[in-house]
Amino acid sequence: MPKQTKNTSPDYYKEGRQRALQLGNRGPMRFKENGRLEDDILSAYHQFGFYVFTGVLDQHEIDLLSKEFDEILENAPVSPDATTDRHGRPVKFPGYYTLVPIQNETNTFDKQANEKLEFPDNPNVGLVSHPLMMMDSALRAYGHPDILRMVASVNGDDFVPFHEAIFHKGAGHGAPTNWHQDGRTHWKADGSAIETADGNGKTHGFNLSVSFSQCTPQNCLWVVPGSHKNWRLSNGGSFPSISERIAEAVPMMLEPGDCGMVNRSSLHGSYPNKSNERRCTLLLGFHKRDSAIGTKTTNVHAFKSPSTTVKDVEYSEEYVLKRARMIPLAIDARKQKYPSENAYEYTGSYIGGSKWNDASRAEISQNGDEYWQRDITL
């Protein structure tokens, strides 16, 4: 069990940074001739439960993501239930924002609790859910050929989506996220992982944080290396509060354009951002197809934004394949923007057209049948 401390001094961040840089799970994406990630990268990911890929997106894409996201922020509602922004304009995507008050150590993305709190005049947006239908730059990043080759290396050629969002931790008052493990389904009775040391077996997939800001120890996600091998909630266990500084945890530091891959079984969280730099990361999630189809679980992601509402599901093949359609759509959207790039060829099955145009844009955002209605929580 990870050691915990109440230490909040700058030394904790400095020592965490040193531990992170010593792990050996950081560097550019490197591929073998067959298109798979080099073995040492996969070994490090399976050992530690996370990996940082450096320099994946170029400055042009970083700038486009920043520009479109800032436009989304400027159109944020002034309160959780408002339909207008602070400029008096109608909110284009009402219900997709998670607003948080000025933060302390205990406030998290608890929508029901946050609705009872007062908000500043300039809305403090902590999360924007389902950005693939809002930002073309996010959709194109989703279709990045190196990212998708990396996903296939980990989850196989028939990989499927999980969920997408943008985390935003405002400078000086970004919300914390409690220590947690995302996975709930694929554990043995004793709490050990079904996933094997080389990544085989059923898994909970992984989150990929695509950074378009500076992610420092003060504002970034922290991960406990190796914690993906055992479930903290088994046998009556619990997750620590984010007010506890876990001694073994390390910060997942990212430069703009870097991507941090985190096994969803890993214990991870983030502290309140009291620094003068905001953190903006596009979350792209992926699963193995055979880990999803046929699984019975409680889905907490197929909603406009995080809430106390959940639904019990059993993922049918049709459900999963309709959700998988977003992969070829993203590839085509990217191909139209960057025609000289060597596009990724997705060989997995999916239901629906693969051409990105006005018709498909309308289909994925159709009220009541949006693409995210088939998000896959495992």
Side-chain angles (χ1 to χ4, degrees), residues 225-275:
S227 57
H228 59 296
K229 300 170 185 177
N230 291 280
W231 193 25
R232 286 290 297 265
L233 296 187
S234 66
N235 302 314
S238 61
F239 297 134
S241 166
I242 198 59
S243 63
E244 303 290 345
R245 280 12 183 187
I246 297 178
E248 297 93 332
V250 298
M252 192 173 73
M253 299 168 294
L254 303 171
E255 297 288 332
D258 291 352
C259 297
M261 173 174 60
V262 180
N263 189 309
R264 296 186 65 250
S265 298
S266 294
L267 185 64
H268 58 286
S270 57
Y271 302 117
N273 180 19
K274 299 178 181 179
S275 75

Side-chain angles (χ1 to χ4, degrees), residues 202 288-295 315-317 320-321 378:
K202 291 186 180 296
K288 287 184 176 181
R289 181 170 311 206
D290 64 3
S291 295
I293 295 176
T295 296
Y315 298 121
S316 67
E317 183 174 16
V320 172
L321 297 190
L378 293 180

Side-chain angles (χ1 to χ4, degrees), residues 155-336:
N155 286 349
D157 290 325
D158 59 351
F159 62 88
V160 296
F162 149 52
H163 172 73
E164 302 86 32
I166 295 180
F167 280 94
H168 174 249
K169 290 190 181 291
H173 52 257
T177 303
N178 273 328
W179 290 110
H180 66 287
Q181 291 168 295
D182 293 308
R184 297 289 187 274
T185 53
H186 300 312
W187 299 103
K188 297 178 183 177
D190 63 357
S192 60
I194 293 176
E195 180 181 1
T196 62
D198 61 358
N200 287 317
K202 291 186 180 296
T203 76
H204 297 121
F206 65 83
N207 303 326
L208 187 73
S209 294
V210 181
S211 177
F212 52 103
S213 71
Q214 195 81 25
C215 298
T216 67
Q218 288 77 15
N219 68 18
C220 73
L221 186 73
W222 286 61
V223 186
V224 178
S227 57
H228 59 296
K229 300 170 185 177
N230 291 280
W231 193 25
R232 286 290 297 265
L233 296 187
S234 66
N235 302 314
S238 61
F239 297 134
S241 166
I242 198 59
S243 63
E244 303 290 345
R245 280 12 183 187
I246 297 178
E248 297 93 332
V250 298
M252 192 173 73
M253 299 168 294
L254 303 171
E255 297 288 332
D258 291 352
C259 297
M261 173 174 60
V262 180
N263 189 309
R264 296 186 65 250
S265 298
S266 294
L267 185 64
H268 58 286
S270 57
Y271 302 117
N273 180 19
K274 299 178 181 179
S275 75
N276 60 3
E277 292 189 81
R278 72 173 184 172
R279 190 249 279 188
C280 301
T281 48
L282 169 64
L283 176 77
L284 308 176
F286 300 94
H287 287 306
K288 287 184 176 181
R289 181 170 311 206
D290 64 3
S291 295
I293 295 176
T295 296
K296 296 180 180 180
T297 188
T298 299
N299 191 306
V300 300
H301 292 99
F303 304 92
K304 271 193 173 183
S305 64
S307 72
T308 56
T309 304
V310 299
K311 60 183 178 182
D312 294 331
V313 297
E314 179 176 356
Y315 298 121
S316 67
E317 183 174 16
E318 180 183 12
Y319 181 110
V320 172
L321 297 190
K322 283 185 175 180
R323 185 62 172 84
R325 180 197 184 194
M326 290 305 299
I327 298 168
L329 283 178
I331 292 170
D332 191 62
R334 186 176 184 89
K335 190 183 300 184
Q336 293 177 34

Side-chain angles (χ1 to χ4, degrees), residues 28-32 35-38 41 53-58 61 140-154 159 206 208 210 257 259 261 284 286 331 334 341-345:
M29 289 185 182
R30 293 179 285 108
F31 297 94
K32 297 184 288 188
R36 297 305 202 209
L37 283 172
E38 290 286 357
I41 294 177
F53 296 107
T54 58
V56 179
L57 269 61
D58 63 21
E61 282 204 72
R140 292 192 296 263
Y142 192 61
H144 193 291
D146 285 346
I147 288 177
L148 297 182
R149 283 199 293 165
M150 178 274 293
V151 178
S153 299
V154 178
F159 62 88
F206 65 83
L208 187 73
V210 181
C259 297
M261 173 174 60
L284 308 176
F286 300 94
I331 292 170
R334 186 176 184 89
E341 188 177 72
N342 185 19
Y344 181 81
E345 295 184 14

Side-chain angles (χ1 to χ4, degrees), residues 68-94:
E68 285 199 89
F69 184 61
D70 283 341
E71 292 171 356
I72 294 288
L73 290 182
E74 278 297 304
N75 190 225
V78 294
S79 66
D81 296 324
T83 58
T84 57
D85 63 20
R86 64 192 180 100
H87 308 289
R89 303 172 302 183
V91 176
K92 187 176 181 181
F93 299 103

